[in-house]
Amino acid sequence: MSREKELIEVINKQMPRSSSQVNHLFESDAEIVTFHGKGLLYNIDEFSEEDLFREDDPYRLGWNMAIGSISDILASGGIPKFYAHSMVVRDSWSTEYIEKLARGIAQVIKEAGAAFIGGDFGISKTWRYTGSVIGELASKSLLRSGAKVGDRIYITGGIGRGNVEAALRLYGDNLLVKSLTGGWKNLLRLRNKEAELIRKYSRCCIDTSDGVFNALRTISEMSSTGFFVDNLPYVKSGLILAKTLNLPKEMLFLGECGEYELLFTLSEKGEEEFLRIAKEQKLTFHKIGVVKELGSQILWEKGREIDLRAYDLRARDYSDPKDYLRKVVNFLKEAAK
């Protein structure tokens, strides 16, 4: 168990709980409660420099943080309704910068069909942002548990966009990287349309805020299952960047700066109808694997099997992200032997 998870459990044991809460600890991306006969969802997410979002474009920074705040509601089967935040801006940011940051946040809220209801504001030497979202349950709630052996595993978009953002922050001074990536916007995607279909057919769902591998491992832990994944849809920018930096592309899968896509499972029986409707609605989903028996955690790449059962690296355990990345590279080199 990670130190973070251990401390969450310690804190949770001290807190009074409500009989109206539907989900157990860690069981869903958002907290789910029944209130006056209705299902409501609540989420809160904090962002800071540690999340490795680039800061040169304030609109992109605001957009990406708002996507990260709303995705948990979508992953839990909800419709975002109300959005609040606590915004602490850096004292060196100009009024124009802050206006563009707010514009990025606002655009996501509008496109999600939600409304801003207020929040808190401060100024400091370092910036912090906390997004808080209230959603309404459309029909059934979606949990991280519920996957069954034989289910198909799908994702709403390409893998690695969040890790690309982190790499551009970490290696942005590399002249070759700068020349190749200078115009990359790298906006995270809002998946509210896809979420409408997912909540009708999926057995379970999670967003990939901590990366695709961690999402798969969480679903496996909560459902007492395993997984086999292959033919991963890496984003093109990630493949280019990996080649430029001479890093294995699998880091886009293992890395923990997630792309906030929705990862979900479908029963074999419901898969055909789901894909037919998705095609009619012109929605794209990527099949990346299948749910296996407990104890199986396999990534199939380049005709070889990478067994991930022993993989236990966590970015939060390293003060320097580059030390963590070196460890991941070493793991992949050893796995390739």
Side-chain angles (χ1 to χ4, degrees):
M1 182 187 296
S2 70
R3 175 67 170 160
E4 179 181 338
K5 193 171 182 179
E6 178 188 347
L7 290 175
I8 290 172
E9 288 190 344
V10 167
I11 295 167
N12 184 69
K13 286 178 181 178
Q14 307 305 314
M15 298 299 167
R17 309 294 291 188
S18 170
S19 59
S20 298
Q21 186 160 9
V22 174
N23 62 293
H24 297 295
L25 188 64
F26 304 122
E27 196 179 16
S28 61
D29 277 26
E31 309 308 323
I32 309 167
V33 298
T34 54
F35 187 74
H36 294 308
K38 280 192 172 184
L40 296 179
L41 301 96
Y42 177 74
N43 177 61
I44 185 166
D45 264 311
E46 183 182 63
F47 303 89
S48 68
E49 294 177 29
E50 292 181 1
D51 292 285
L52 299 178
F53 285 135
R54 287 176 296 162
E55 301 169 27
D56 58 298
D57 182 343
Y59 181 92
R60 179 186 61 227
L61 177 60
W63 172 281
N64 285 346
M65 292 189 300
I67 291 288
S69 300
I70 282 176
S71 65
D72 285 327
I73 299 294
L74 300 178
S76 301
I79 301 170
K81 290 294 183 181
F82 302 105
Y83 189 107
H85 66 206
S86 174
M87 181 188 292
V88 178
V89 302
R90 186 180 287 137
D91 55 13
S92 60
W93 287 352
S94 67
T95 300
E96 181 185 13
Y97 185 101
I98 296 167
E99 182 182 11
K100 289 179 180 178
L101 178 77
R103 200 178 301 155
I105 296 166
Q107 190 59 37
V108 172
I109 297 171
K110 291 173 187 175
E111 293 190 21
F116 181 72
I117 57 173
D120 192 27
F121 181 80
I123 302 173
S124 180
K125 291 183 179 180
T126 58
W127 68 269
R128 298 186 307 280
Y129 182 82
T130 303
S132 180
V133 188
I134 297 173
E136 187 176 70
L137 202 58
S139 52
K140 66 173 184 177
S141 59
L142 286 176
L143 304 176
R144 295 169 173 176
S145 59
K148 306 293 183 184
V149 173
D151 282 0
R152 279 46 178 160
I153 304 171
Y154 279 82
I155 192 169
T156 51
I159 293 172
R161 199 177 304 277
N163 287 312
V164 167
E165 183 70 11
L168 292 175
R169 174 73 183 270
L170 292 172
Y171 300 100
D173 291 335
N174 181 302
L175 293 178
L176 183 55
V177 170
K178 189 178 291 187
S179 65
L180 283 171
T181 65
W184 287 3
K185 284 292 185 183
N186 208 45
L187 293 171
L188 302 178
R189 304 296 195 255
L190 178 63
R191 298 301 185 186
N192 52 331
K193 292 180 181 178
E194 290 85 348
E196 287 182 29
L197 187 58
I198 290 170
R199 59 177 171 255
K200 294 177 182 177
Y201 289 89
S202 178
R203 286 198 199 270
C204 64
C205 187
I206 185 173
D207 79 358
T208 62
S209 55
D210 289 329
V212 175
F213 170 69
N214 278 328
L216 285 166
R217 179 167 272 184
T218 298
I219 281 180
S220 297
E221 289 175 354
M222 299 303 300
S223 304
S224 298
T225 56
F227 62 83
F228 176 94
V229 292
D230 64 348
N231 296 319
L232 299 184
Y234 295 114
V235 292
K236 185 178 179 180
S237 58
L239 295 174
I240 293 171
L241 199 56
K243 187 173 182 179
T244 302
L245 294 170
N246 195 29
L247 295 172
K249 66 180 181 180
E250 293 84 2
M251 294 184 72
L252 298 167
F253 167 73
L254 291 173
E256 296 178 35
C257 289
E259 50 283 286
Y260 293 88
E261 296 288 351
L262 304 180
L263 187 144
F264 59 100
T265 70
L266 296 171
S267 68
E268 183 178 3
K269 184 178 179 181
E271 182 182 30
E272 184 177 347
E273 183 178 346
F274 175 88
L275 293 176
R276 176 180 59 78
I277 297 174
K279 186 176 181 181
E280 290 173 357
Q281 296 182 3
K282 297 181 179 179
L283 298 175
T284 300
F285 298 93
H286 304 272
K287 184 177 181 178
I288 63 171
V290 63
V291 177
K292 305 294 281 187
E293 293 80 7
L294 179 65
S296 176
Q297 295 186 14
I298 301 298
L299 168 63
W300 186 264
E301 279 282 0
K302 301 175 184 175
R304 61 186 174 87
E305 178 183 287
I306 301 177
D307 190 340
L308 297 166
R309 288 175 297 176
Y311 183 84
D312 62 354
L313 299 174
R314 296 285 296 178
R316 292 179 176 88
D317 294 334
Y318 297 84
S319 56
D320 186 342
K322 291 183 179 180
D323 289 337
Y324 158 73
L325 293 175
R326 281 189 282 270
K327 290 285 187 178
V328 177
V329 171
N330 290 338
F331 173 86
L332 290 169
K333 285 180 178 178
E334 288 296 317
K337 292 181 181 178

